[in-house]
Amino acid sequence: MRILLSNDDGVHSPGLVALYEGLKSLGNLEVVAPDRDHSGASNALTLNRPLTVEEHPSGFRSIDGTPTDCVHLAVNGLFPESFDRVVSGINTHANLGDDIIYSGTVAAATEGRHLGLPAIAVSLVSEGQNHFETAARVVRMLLESERPLSLGPRSILNVNVPDVPWEELAGFRVTRLGNRERAESAVPMTCPRGKERYWIGAAGKGGDAGPGTDFHAVAQGYVSLTPVHIDMTRHEALVSLRTWADSLPDVHGGGV
Amino acid sequence: MRILLSNDDGVHSPGLVALYEGLKSLGNLEVVAPDRDHSGASNALTLNRPLTVEEHPSGFRSIDGTPTDCVHLAVNGLFPESFDRVVSGINTHANLGDDIIYSGTVAAATEGRHLGLPAIAVSLVSEGQNHFETAARVVRMLLESERPLSLGPRSILNVNVPDVPWEELAGFRVTRLGNRERAESAVPMTCPRGKERYWIGAAGKGGDAGPGTDFHAVAQGYVSLTPVHIDMTRHEALVSLRTWADSLPDVHGGGV
Amino acid sequence: MRILLSNDDGVHSPGLVALYEGLKSLGNLEVVAPDRDHSGASNALTLNRPLTVEEHPSGFRSIDGTPTDCVHLAVNGLFPESFDRVVSGINTHANLGDDIIYSGTVAAATEGRHLGLPAIAVSLVSEGQNHFETAARVVRMLLESERPLSLGPRSILNVNVPDVPWEELAGFRVTRLGNRERAESAVPMTCPRGKERYWIGAAGKGGDAGPGTDFHAVAQGYVSLTPVHIDMTRHEALVSLRTWADSLPDVHGGGV
Amino acid sequence: MRILLSNDDGVHSPGLVALYEGLKSLGNLEVVAPDRDHSGASNALTLNRPLTVEEHPSGFRSIDGTPTDCVHLAVNGLFPESFDRVVSGINTHANLGDDIIYSGTVAAATEGRHLGLPAIAVSLVSEGQNHFETAARVVRMLLESERPLSLGPRSILNVNVPDVPWEELAGFRVTRLGNRERAESAVPMTCPRGKERYWIGAAGKGGDAGPGTDFHAVAQGYVSLTPVHIDMTRHEALVSLRTWADSLPDVHGGGV
């Protein structure tokens, strides 16, 4: 098995090293990750400049771009051989609920899927203990499963692991993404040169975090497994939208 | 009606000006857009620095951040009054099919929805004619409709408009997102200082672009209206994933 | 006379527009400036990516790079015709004393000189009145002088103008660069996500700001004219350094 | 002796590691360097956002900013104890002649001097052999000299070392900065998305590279030692500029 590893915390992140250590016995690994922290990068793709690839003494490669750039370039040009799988992480913080729309970790996995590869995003719901080895062992167990995992088209697996020793994991839970209440207000500040600036506010609290959600599973000590897809069409709305569109004035009838 | 306008091409883009001109009679508009081009920014959110807001003589505001930053800050802190709607665009290129996952234009709209507001993303499928006024008129027609549009929770409307005079529009089509074939390979180059670098390759061709898709609608001269949602849970896969997860070894049973 | 205008506040800065308006009767002007604020950019040159040039409806061009990039590209490739002179500004704040080492405004001028052109950097010592027209008129007077100005090799003129109506200027003073006391300490802060970060502290006070310095001239209401060179060799130290180097152990004698 | 090490190639550069290894027996070292390559950064200082400091397992610290930011923050806030000296390097390429105005390596040293500390910038004139240990040994020899080195106010030592084993060094030469002919023209290119872009051209050839210059010394196999100052006033031009300024029309006399 030939596996591509990436992340959004950067090539020197301890979570990435732990993932590499945990998976290296599974086959042939390549690591291609951003040269610096890109948390919050979402699926951003760098189109206005060429990217530079650097190979480190460890054999890891870094790119001066986003997580999506890394996976795109690795799968689509850097290596002559193709990959069987993409694993992104281990992120040093949770990627739960709505927040994953901003996540670079999840984006690296979805880019892999976009390019035709089964992909997993894995995050540690860190409380400062940094049990990356638990998360790495979870990923290895998932990859070693003899039953094939089929999520359907255009989907990846988003995994969040409680920050505890392996023995303290409660088990696995398949979950849906919860969602948070609205984010807190932007935080204004005056910089030392007297200019007013704004920080994006902290993520919202609670919201839909009840049973069945990823928030709930990890709070109970379970590994959360969420099937995540990248088909953004809201198929359920197609019919009602057609009815509505039919009520629009004829573009040739004037009236606007 | 109080409408927030944003985009990903930057505050000085002619598409944004055309949108403003086309909608200004509808109510109270505020414009908050990136200070420079952020095409490809996806939902990237800036968390590692505070943002600066600049007000221009036109009354437009720019932010040294991403499209998502702009909408987030505008809705969540910059103005004392709330908004009724977010419109993002007019993008100077199409946002069709898979590509929207990278789109800053669509991301600005989804950020508005995320914060509770109905939202529209609008793009001109430009062929160099730059009939922004056609796209602006389409948006105005959508906003002026007397029948309420309900897309269901967490959804926005993604609109792509052919680059033709209003009279040449064929009408409206409700569509699903098509998808492209795999992107072209990365393009290696040697920079003038002798370092090898890589451009992200061009988007793929064709793929699923048949009847029913947004690609097909605009190719036929229609305005494409696609309901797009931000619920990334693949609900259809929950059951099969549960069966699969049950087959994993017990975390307490050892063996791994 | 063919003059290249640039700045470090960005192509949309009112100081740049005022400079253009003030000088346009003198000959053929081209404006090439950064697309966003680059204060503090010093002589930074962008070597790791290609630059993009955008032409605005005003005829001004912007580049997604530093002030030095703008002048370099304008003189060295963008235009078939050569220039007679470079003017950088009008900066919206003073560029006095030690601070000019960080200044993008001064760097744009020194890049012009580096490429063989006489160059002027001009800054308004702003107190919020924004009398850019005064500074523009100063530059025009300097450029219209019939006596040739010779600063010697590799030198530019750094001009700082008090923020007053023309009639209130006290006159011109030729000055040396003063210097400030040491900058204030870095300002630590905790961002809304709990991470500690540091702002570069404010510039130091006073220092060498006595008679003869640029600080003193503008404080007295005079336009300050400072000859600034880019020869960084400290010629006065060559002899004593040779004596010192002779005292070093012989590289082949071992001992280290 | 308490020494601050920095560079512009980034915290993971082999040249920085070699410098650390070569100097660690001299006293107490701290390393604070950019988190990524900042070649060409000149004295750029980051004023529009706060900076983040990360401590690595090696004890090295990185900052998400420029070389000047690193030295400024290290000397002016990060550590309770003060430093005795700043050493910047070992740069993986030469910093000779005019080019040093763009150099982040030299800028890190001048920032140290600006804050009151004796400072050395050191570069390897690399030809692919990467004899960093030679350059490190040169710096150690300079720091261990018993005769005090006095360069005069506001000056640093710029050191360029041939890329050879220690035994092959020809000795030391005290030099002035040479200068190059004008840089080559910008290199236009069309990116894969069809947009025209420009690379800054390569540095110019030859120019003033004769005996006495730093270019000449290293070409002959010598370590080049150049005294470099940061006083940008061209004192020699003050008198002639005063004469010229007296010929300007009286600001109150009108006529302009």
Side-chain angles (χ1 to χ4, degrees):
Chain A
M1 185 153 51
R2 190 166 148 80
I3 309 175
L4 172 65
L5 306 188
S6 193
N7 77 348
D8 76 350
D9 290 324
V11 73
H12 301 288
S13 162
L16 181 59
V17 175
L19 184 63
Y20 181 85
E21 292 300 320
L23 302 188
K24 69 184 173 190
S25 64
L26 287 185
N28 182 227
L29 308 189
E30 299 284 1
V31 177
V32 184
D35 67 345
R36 53 160 54 164
D37 182 23
H38 272 272
S39 301
S42 188
N43 302 80
L45 195 60
T46 302
L47 303 178
N48 66 341
R49 58 180 172 89
L51 299 161
T52 309
V53 182
E54 194 182 349
E55 186 165 351
H56 298 266
S58 60
F60 289 18
R61 284 174 178 81
S62 66
I63 289 181
D64 56 341
T66 67
T68 298
D69 291 335
C70 291
V71 173
H72 190 103
L73 223 57
V75 174
N76 230 3
L78 272 193
F79 300 98
E81 315 89 336
S82 60
F83 290 95
D84 300 304
R85 222 163 274 256
V86 174
V87 181
S88 170
I90 301 168
N91 199 50
T92 51
H93 294 285
N95 274 306
L96 296 165
D98 300 333
D99 299 349
I100 72 167
I101 206 169
Y102 308 115
S103 167
T105 307
V106 173
T110 57
E111 183 67 16
R113 192 72 196 85
H114 204 57
L115 295 166
L117 301 172
I120 293 176
V122 58
S123 306
L124 190 69
V125 187
S126 177
E127 299 179 343
Q129 306 301 315
N130 294 335
H131 286 289
F132 290 119
E133 80 287 355
T134 300
R137 194 163 162 186
V138 164
V139 177
R140 204 173 84 208
M141 183 183 264
L142 297 173
L143 292 177
E144 282 180 326
S145 166
E146 289 170 13
R147 285 187 56 154
L149 166 60
S150 169
L151 295 170
R154 310 167 71 69
S155 300
I156 67 145
L157 196 61
N158 186 41
V159 180
N160 281 273
V161 181
D163 186 10
V164 294
W166 176 265
E167 298 73 33
E168 296 178 21
L169 284 181
F172 291 90
R173 281 278 182 275
V174 172
T175 59
R176 61 180 162 82
L177 297 166
N179 50 70
R180 295 186 187 274
E181 291 173 13
R182 189 165 151 167
E184 307 213 351
S185 288
V187 180
M189 65 166 301
T190 305
C191 82
R193 273 159 204 78
K195 212 161 177 176
E196 189 160 25
R197 298 174 191 269
Y198 297 83
W199 288 95
I200 295 288
K205 298 273 152 118
D208 171 17
T213 66
D214 49 359
F215 287 113
H216 191 262
V218 297
Q220 305 289 319
Y222 289 89
V223 174
S224 166
L225 304 177
T226 313
V228 162
H229 65 155
I230 53 175
D231 178 0
M232 293 176 75
T233 305
R234 183 168 188 85
H235 297 279
E236 307 88 316
L238 288 171
V239 172
S240 67
L241 181 57
R242 270 187 202 113
T243 309
W244 182 82
D246 288 343
S247 76
L248 293 173
D250 189 307
V251 295
H252 298 134
V256 175
Chain B
M1 186 152 53
R2 188 165 152 79
I3 309 175
L4 173 64
L5 306 188
S6 193
N7 76 350
D8 76 350
D9 290 324
V11 73
H12 300 289
S13 162
L16 181 59
V17 175
L19 185 63
Y20 181 86
E21 291 301 319
L23 301 189
K24 70 184 175 191
S25 65
L26 286 186
N28 181 227
L29 308 189
E30 298 285 359
V31 177
V32 183
D35 66 346
R36 52 160 56 164
D37 182 22
H38 273 271
S39 300
S42 187
N43 302 81
L45 194 60
T46 302
L47 303 178
N48 67 340
R49 59 179 172 90
L51 300 161
T52 310
V53 182
E54 195 182 347
E55 187 165 350
H56 297 266
S58 60
F60 289 17
R61 283 174 178 81
S62 66
I63 289 180
D64 57 341
T66 66
T68 300
D69 291 334
C70 290
V71 173
H72 191 103
L73 224 56
V75 174
N76 230 2
L78 273 193
F79 299 98
E81 315 89 337
S82 58
F83 289 95
D84 300 305
R85 223 162 275 252
V86 174
V87 182
S88 170
I90 300 168
N91 199 50
T92 52
H93 294 285
N95 274 305
L96 296 165
D98 300 335
D99 299 349
I100 73 165
I101 206 169
Y102 308 114
S103 165
T105 308
V106 173
T110 57
E111 183 67 16
R113 192 71 196 84
H114 203 58
L115 295 166
L117 302 172
I120 293 175
V122 59
S123 306
L124 190 70
V125 187
S126 176
E127 300 179 345
Q129 306 301 315
N130 294 333
H131 287 290
F132 290 118
E133 80 288 355
T134 302
R137 193 163 162 186
V138 163
V139 177
R140 204 173 83 208
M141 183 183 266
L142 296 173
L143 292 176
E144 281 181 328
S145 166
E146 287 171 15
R147 283 186 59 153
L149 165 63
S150 168
L151 296 171
R154 309 165 72 68
S155 300
I156 66 145
L157 196 62
N158 186 42
V159 180
N160 281 273
V161 181
D163 186 10
V164 294
W166 176 265
E167 297 74 31
E168 296 178 22
L169 284 180
F172 291 90
R173 280 279 182 272
V174 172
T175 60
R176 62 181 161 81
L177 297 166
N179 50 70
R180 296 187 186 273
E181 288 172 17
R182 190 166 149 165
E184 308 214 349
S185 287
V187 180
M189 66 165 301
T190 304
C191 82
R193 272 158 205 79
K195 212 161 177 176
E196 190 162 26
R197 298 172 191 271
Y198 298 83
W199 288 94
I200 295 288
K205 300 271 151 117
D208 172 17
T213 67
D214 48 359
F215 287 113
H216 191 263
V218 297
Q220 304 290 320
Y222 289 89
V223 174
S224 165
L225 304 177
T226 313
V228 162
H229 65 153
I230 54 175
D231 178 2
M232 292 177 76
T233 305
R234 183 168 189 84
H235 295 280
E236 306 88 317
L238 288 171
V239 171
S240 68
L241 181 57
R242 270 189 202 111
T243 309
W244 182 83
D246 287 344
S247 76
L248 292 173
D250 188 308
V251 295
H252 297 134
V256 176
Chain C
M1 186 154 48
R2 188 165 152 78
I3 309 175
L4 172 64
L5 307 187
S6 193
N7 76 349
D8 76 350
D9 289 325
V11 73
H12 301 288
S13 163
L16 181 59
V17 175
L19 185 63
Y20 180 86
E21 291 300 320
L23 302 189
K24 68 184 176 191
S25 64
L26 287 186
N28 182 227
L29 308 189
E30 298 285 359
V31 178
V32 183
D35 66 345
R36 54 160 55 164
D37 182 23
H38 272 271
S39 301
S42 187
N43 302 79
L45 193 61
T46 302
L47 303 177
N48 66 341
R49 58 180 173 90
L51 299 161
T52 311
V53 182
E54 196 182 347
E55 187 165 350
H56 297 266
S58 60
F60 289 16
R61 284 174 177 81
S62 66
I63 289 181
D64 56 341
T66 66
T68 299
D69 291 335
C70 290
V71 172
H72 190 103
L73 224 56
V75 174
N76 228 4
L78 273 193
F79 299 98
E81 315 90 336
S82 60
F83 290 95
D84 301 303
R85 222 162 274 255
V86 174
V87 182
S88 171
I90 303 168
N91 199 49
T92 52
H93 294 286
N95 274 306
L96 296 166
D98 300 333
D99 298 351
I100 72 165
I101 206 169
Y102 308 115
S103 167
T105 307
V106 173
T110 57
E111 184 66 16
R113 193 71 195 84
H114 204 55
L115 295 166
L117 302 171
I120 293 175
V122 58
S123 306
L124 189 69
V125 187
S126 176
E127 299 179 344
Q129 305 301 315
N130 294 334
H131 286 290
F132 290 119
E133 79 287 355
T134 300
R137 194 164 162 185
V138 164
V139 176
R140 206 173 82 207
M141 182 183 268
L142 297 173
L143 292 177
E144 282 181 327
S145 166
E146 288 171 14
R147 284 186 58 151
L149 166 61
S150 168
L151 295 171
R154 307 165 74 68
S155 300
I156 66 146
L157 195 61
N158 187 40
V159 181
N160 281 273
V161 181
D163 187 9
V164 295
W166 175 264
E167 298 73 32
E168 296 179 22
L169 284 181
F172 291 90
R173 280 278 181 275
V174 172
T175 60
R176 62 182 160 83
L177 297 166
N179 50 70
R180 295 187 187 274
E181 290 173 15
R182 190 165 150 166
E184 308 214 349
S185 288
V187 181
M189 65 165 303
T190 305
C191 83
R193 272 157 207 80
K195 212 162 177 175
E196 189 161 23
R197 297 172 192 271
Y198 298 83
W199 288 94
I200 296 287
K205 299 273 152 119
D208 171 17
T213 67
D214 49 358
F215 286 113
H216 191 262
V218 298
Q220 304 290 320
Y222 288 90
V223 175
S224 165
L225 305 178
T226 313
V228 162
H229 64 153
I230 54 176
D231 177 2
M232 292 176 75
T233 305
R234 183 168 187 85
H235 296 281
E236 307 88 315
L238 288 171
V239 172
S240 68
L241 181 57
R242 269 186 204 114
T243 309
W244 183 83
D246 288 343
S247 76
L248 292 174
D250 189 306
V251 295
H252 298 133
V256 175
Chain D
M1 186 153 52
R2 191 166 150 78
I3 308 176
L4 173 64
L5 306 187
S6 193
N7 76 350
D8 76 349
D9 290 325
V11 73
H12 301 289
S13 162
L16 182 59
V17 174
L19 185 63
Y20 181 86
E21 291 301 320
L23 301 189
K24 70 184 173 190
S25 65
L26 287 186
N28 182 227
L29 309 188
E30 299 284 359
V31 178
V32 183
D35 66 346
R36 53 161 53 164
D37 182 22
H38 273 272
S39 301
S42 187
N43 302 80
L45 194 60
T46 302
L47 303 178
N48 68 341
R49 59 179 172 88
L51 299 161
T52 310
V53 182
E54 195 182 346
E55 187 166 350
H56 298 266
S58 59
F60 289 17
R61 284 174 177 81
S62 66
I63 289 180
D64 57 340
T66 66
T68 299
D69 291 336
C70 290
V71 173
H72 190 102
L73 223 57
V75 174
N76 229 2
L78 272 193
F79 299 99
E81 315 88 339
S82 58
F83 290 94
D84 299 305
R85 224 162 272 256
V86 174
V87 182
S88 171
I90 301 167
N91 198 50
T92 53
H93 294 285
N95 274 303
L96 295 165
D98 298 336
D99 299 349
I100 73 166
I101 207 170
Y102 308 114
S103 165
T105 307
V106 173
T110 56
E111 183 67 15
R113 193 70 196 87
H114 204 55
L115 294 166
L117 301 172
I120 293 176
V122 57
S123 306
L124 189 70
V125 187
S126 177
E127 299 179 344
Q129 306 301 315
N130 293 334
H131 286 289
F132 290 119
E133 79 287 355
T134 301
R137 195 164 160 184
V138 164
V139 176
R140 205 173 83 209
M141 184 184 265
L142 297 173
L143 291 177
E144 281 180 328
S145 166
E146 287 171 16
R147 284 186 59 153
L149 165 62
S150 169
L151 296 171
R154 308 165 73 69
S155 301
I156 66 146
L157 196 61
N158 186 40
V159 180
N160 281 273
V161 181
D163 186 10
V164 294
W166 175 265
E167 298 73 33
E168 296 179 22
L169 283 180
F172 291 90
R173 280 279 183 273
V174 171
T175 60
R176 62 181 161 81
L177 297 166
N179 50 69
R180 294 186 186 274
E181 289 173 14
R182 190 166 151 166
E184 307 212 350
S185 287
V187 181
M189 66 166 299
T190 305
C191 83
R193 274 158 204 79
K195 212 162 177 175
E196 189 161 25
R197 297 173 193 269
Y198 298 84
W199 287 94
I200 295 288
K205 299 271 152 121
D208 172 16
T213 67
D214 48 359
F215 286 114
H216 191 262
V218 297
Q220 305 289 319
Y222 289 88
V223 175
S224 165
L225 305 178
T226 313
V228 162
H229 65 153
I230 54 175
D231 178 2
M232 293 176 74
T233 305
R234 184 169 187 85
H235 296 280
E236 306 88 316
L238 288 171
V239 172
S240 67
L241 181 58
R242 269 188 204 112
T243 308
W244 184 81
D246 287 344
S247 76
L248 293 174
D250 188 308
V251 296
H252 297 135
V256 177

